[in-house]
Structure formats: structure tokens, C-alpha cells
Amino acid sequence: MAVTIYDIAREAEVSIATVSRVFNSNTNVSEKARERVLKVAKEMGYHPQAMAQGLARKKTKLITAIVPVLSNYFLTEVLDGVQDGMTDADFDLNIYNVRSSDDISGQVEHLLKRGMAEGYLIISIHMPEKKWRQFGNYKQPIVLIDEYSSLFDSISVDSVEGAYNATEFLIRSGHQRIAMIAAYRGSKPVSDRILGYRRALEDHGLMVDENLIFTGVDMDRDGFTERNGYEAMLKLLKTDYLPDACFCNSDIQALGAIKAMQDAHITIPLIGFDDIRFSELLGLTTMKQPMYDMGKLAIEKLLNRLTSPDSEVSHTVFSPEMIIRSSSTIDIHQEETGL
Amino acid sequence: MAVTIYDIAREAEVSIATVSRVFNSNTNVSEKARERVLKVAKEMGYHPQAMAQGLARKKTKLITAIVPVLSNYFLTEVLDGVQDGMTDADFDLNIYNVRSSDDISGQVEHLLKRGMAEGYLIISIHMPEKKWRQFGNYKQPIVLIDEYSSLFDSISVDSVEGAYNATEFLIRSGHQRIAMIAAYRGSKPVSDRILGYRRALEDHGLMVDENLIFTGVDMDRDGFTERNGYEAMLKLLKTDYLPDACFCNSDIQALGAIKAMQDAHITIPLIGFDDIRFSELLGLTTMKQPMYDMGKLAIEKLLNRLTSPDSEVSHTVFSPEMIIRSSSTIDIHQEETGL
DNA sequence: CTGAAAGCGCTTACAG
DNA sequence: CTGAAAGCGCTTACAG
């Protein structure tokens, strides 16, 4: 069907080896031969086929990022960093979105064994260590982002610490009855953040009240949605004894929570988590994750591992940085809002 | 390095053909042979290599979606539809994110000629018809989403019509001085929406005032960001003679615009475009794009073309549907807002 | 600088 | 049901 190296060789009256050389090393080819080859290749619309090259070279020049959901600020920023970090490398990046409905580990495994890519960036996918060990059998270069396993290079953020600091800040600001807006508890970051929240309360002699942990109904994207935050805050505001302040699992939920407060004409101090782009405009105090840098570092690690497969496994844990804005210092009061 | 079909054949004492059959057609293999093969395959950790299969079969069982930016609601919803539409098909979907900084058409071309996938979904990437024709030479099955070219199957939404109807609605509501928040004008949807806006004004005998078309400074994602909307609305609100109402290029910008109005304690009626998930909670009147359905239809078309390559090229154009909520009917007034 | 040839790991008629 | 063999389209020592 398509034109192959043989067609070009025939027309240009050279061997296929020469054609191949023109399209590759570009060395050891006479100027005349090169020109002829290029000419007929252009005429016939020839281009090397990735599959055949992949097989012959045993390299695919491909890196696959495996992600749980698209369109989540965390992911986007991370991938931005990844892409910037690989501009000089001769690799393509493709993204594979596992379907959350189905067997996630099965999907990841499927990709790993297909072996289509030379290396894998696995982002925000959480599994028991046992599973990761199993995947180690595929001998594929892997870097984990937002997850940890002793077997692979990894980059993550200390969610426990971040939640702890956020909550402690609220306590130090004089609040006693501090609520949390959580999300799907099966998600590692969520359970970590709940843990940090609880610890901070305990360390400061405050009672942990499970009824003060709210979640919306919408569990799309593990609950990391505006809607979930909106719903959660609505519940919070309906409690008889209103909390003084709230630590919110993510900025995107905080956005919904703020809307809910506006609708209810009640505002309580709020701290988010992530520092997405809109947070600055919202005046949202938040725990910033260095998402871009995480992506950049991740691809660096992966590229390194590709060149030196036997180098030591390395783990990087970032500490979230508190960004203080206005949302955390608002006094409790009623107010009129528009829209 | 990795274990191949030869290793299995040797250990299981069968030919490579039999091994291959076990992993494929699953037909014409005795139960005994199958069991032996499966057993040693499992022991040795064998799995067919995608590249080799791809070459031998001349099929890759892969579909590539080429997209301009990740994390944009439109895209996510479309891809959701795509994935749901291909669950029964034996294909993997991978996503390729072209970098907006570089030569976009070059990147698309690169993918097309690598020929790694069997079919391509190209989403929200705009090019002159001439370019598309050029890409036709690669003989790859392609479906265009949010773009049109006579050569390929396509699915789009009539942005002109949507903007026209939104603007007309505002006019019919009694507004005379109607502003628009636009975005990067080099973007097809943006220029189409500006066109619809202008036409509606003209058709109703209203003057088109270029100074009433606002845009933010932030042109990340062609200006489809909360920040851009925020900045644009800020400019709008600073004009001496305040507009009566505003048609906003996208819901995500409307989100920022609403925030800006709150910060300025001024609210004017607003209509967005897209109907992203948060819009309902925002009470945002908007022109809904059937994103999910577009994705689903797109993959259907592509799958069809894969099976019958010579079927007629088909174009589907959806009309945006107006979803009326509260944001479009608010009277101009000052108010107090929180946050 | 150039070509013949082996090899990458699989699939698939074909013959039995 | 099974195997030998050709073929998919390229790369890369090797010999010249």
C-alpha cells in the first residue's frame, strides 16, 4: 500500500541501506546519493514507518504518560512541566487516560506489557505496593508522580504535612471549630489530607469530630470538582452549629464552596489545596503544590533512567507551600451577594 | 532481552505459529497445546510486543486524538464521549498534545506520517483548507472535531449561529449597548463568535462598536481561561459608558468575568458559551455545545471509516442550544459582595 | 561511500 | 490441529 524503502531504493537506484542511512545517521552517504534519495522520497511521499523502525531499532522514541482523568489542573500543570522538560529530547509524549470505571490496574498493566513506549510516567494512580511490585516484572522504566512505591523513581507532595499546616494555621488564627471539605476517601491524597487535618487538631488539643468532615455527592474525578465543593459547603452551612473555618481538600472544590457561601450569604474562612491558576484571582489562601516542577523533574528522572537503567532509585517529596491570601482571614458575617 | 515467541515455542515444544495462534485467533489449537503454551508463557512472563504485531499485521489497534491543550472542559467532555463510544471496539486511544508554541501543523504532520495509529481524531485544531488538503496525502483516516475541511469527516458546532442567538436574546431582552468578551482572534471559534455577535447587532439595527469587544491580556489557551475573562470584564467595567449586557466567548471566561463583577460590585447580564459543568451552579445562561455527543459521534465516524474507507465523507454541524438561567436577566445594579 | 544479508518479533496463507 | 516459511518495513554490523 504505502510506499516503502524498497520503492525508493529502486527508483533512486541505490540499496535500501543507503535510503535508510539518508533518513537516519545521515552519515556515510555521498551527496549525490543523498540528493537522489531525498528527491524520489519526496516525489513518492515516503516516510519511515514508526512500527518497522521500532521493531528494527528496538526503540520507539515514545514516552507514555498514564493519567486517571484529563482536565484536572494538577495534571495539566504537571504535563506542562513534562513537555517543557523533554523539548530537547528526541521523544514523543503520548497520554493515556485510564477509564476510572474499569479495572485500573488492569489497564496500566495492559499498557506496560504492550511495551509500546520506552518509558512511562504514571501520574496520580494509586495502588497497593504489592501491585507495583508486580508491575516491576515488566522491566519498564517507570516514574511515579503523586504516588510512592519503593521500586520506582517517584515524585510526590506531602499531603499530610500540607493539610497539617493548613489546619494549624486556622487554629493559630483563633478558630476552634474547624471543618474540612474532603472528597473520595479511597483516594490517597484525600485520605492523607484528612489525616493531616486530624493530627493538627489533635496536636492542638482540639476534638476531632467526624461530623465536621463534609463531602459532596458528586464523585466524578474522585470528588475533585466545583460541584462537589459546592455540595459539601451547602451541607456544612446547614449544620446547626456553624464551623468557624474550613480546610478544603482542593482549590477546585474551594471554588464551588465559595459559590455556595455566596448563595447562602454566609462566609467563613477557607483554605484550599493546590494553588491552581484561578486561586490568585479568587483570593484563595492555599497550599501550593509545585506541579510544574514536579513534571519537569519527573521527565528528567525518566530520561536519566533510560540512559542509565541501573542507577539508584530516587524519591523526591515536595512540601506544599502556604500561600496566604484573603480567603483565610475573613470574619464570619452575613452579607449580600450578587449572582 | 525480553522473552519472545521463540522462547515459548521452544519450552512448550511447539512451533511459533502455534504460540501465535494461542495469543490471537485462539482457533485451531488443541486444548493440550494451548494449555502448555499458556503455562510456559505465564512462567516466563511473555506478552506479545506491540511493535512486532503492528508490523506483521499492518494494524496497530491504536487511535490517536490530537489536541491543542489539555484541561479544557470542551476537550474533556468530547474525549469522554470518544472513550464511551469505543469501549466495544478493540482499540486503544492515546492522546497527543501539540505544543502551541511550536509549529502546530508540523507537529500534526509528524504524527500523521509516523503512522503509529490506524486513525486520527483531530480536535480544535484550525488550519487553512490548503494545509488539510496536504495532509490528505498521508491517506490516514481522519475525523475533524470543531473544525471543517471538505476532505475529512467532520463534526462541529455553529459558533456563528450560537453567538447570533445569544446576542439576539440580549437585544430582545431590551438591551441596546451590548458588549462582548472575546479571546484570541486568530482562533476560529472566536472569530466566528465575534461574527455572529456583529451580525445580530447589525440585523437589529444596532451599531457595532469595536470598542465594545473586550479581551483579557492572558492568552494562554487562546484566552479561554478564567483569568482572561476576569481581565476582560475589568476593562469593560472601566469604560465610561457601561454596557447594558455582555455576551461572553466561553463559560470559563464568564466564570472570571463574574468574579470581576463581584469584585467591582457591579453586575450586568451575561451570557456564556459551552455549558461546562459548573455553569448550572453559577446560574449562567449559556449556549450549550453537545460536547459529549460530538465525541461519541466522532469516534463512530472514525470506526466506520476504518471498516469502509471509501464511504462518503460526512459533515455534521450541531446548533448550540440556549440554556436560560439567571445570569442573563439580572438588572443593572450595584451591590455588596463577599470574598 | 555502498550493498548484501541477517535480524527485529510477530502473523498468516499454505501444505499437510 | 500443526509447522515451515515467507513477509511486514526497517536498521545495522560486516565486507568491500
Side-chain angles (χ1 to χ4, degrees), chain B residues 126-127 183-191 194 219 222:
Chain B
H126 310 287
M127 277 185 249
Y184 174 58
R185 293 188 181 216
S187 155
K188 185 77 183 331
V190 177
S191 60
I194 293 177
M219 280 304 171
D222 284 0

Side-chain angles (χ1 to χ4, degrees), chain B residues 249-269:
Chain B
N249 183 68
S250 66
D251 283 8
I252 196 78
Q253 289 172 275
L255 210 172
I258 288 171
K259 173 73 171 99
M261 292 196 291
Q262 290 174 346
D263 287 357
H265 307 297
I266 304 177
T267 302
I268 63 173

Side-chain angles (χ1 to χ4, degrees), chain B residues 29-71:
Chain B
V29 183
S30 68
E31 205 42 50
K32 282 188 57 178
R34 178 197 316 291
E35 273 171 20
R36 258 209 325 278
V37 166
L38 253 18
K39 181 159 169 294
V40 329
K42 177 146 196 183
E43 282 170 13
M44 307 186 68
Y46 168 77
H47 16 258
Q49 287 174 42
M51 292 285 135
Q53 288 188 315
L55 183 57
R57 289 186 189 143
K58 308 196 73 176
K59 302 215 169 167
T60 58
K61 292 290 147 201
L62 207 62
I63 285 174
T64 295
I66 308 180
V67 305
V69 274
L70 258 15
S71 185

Side-chain angles (χ1 to χ4, degrees), chain A residues 73 84 220 226 277 336, chain B residues 73 99 220 226 277 336:
Chain A
Y73 282 85
D84 283 352
D220 185 38
E226 298 99 331
R277 295 201 179 163
E336 283 295 308
Chain B
Y73 283 86
R99 308 243 54 193
D220 182 39
E226 298 98 333
R277 294 199 179 166
E336 284 295 308

Side-chain angles (χ1 to χ4, degrees), chain A residues 105 109 112 128-139 151-152:
Chain A
S105 84
E109 190 166 11
L112 256 25
E129 175 76 7
K130 201 178 113 198
K131 259 293 179 226
W132 289 123
R133 293 206 163 276
Q134 217 169 293
F135 290 175
N137 293 147
Y138 296 117
K139 307 276 183 236
L151 265 190
F152 308 113

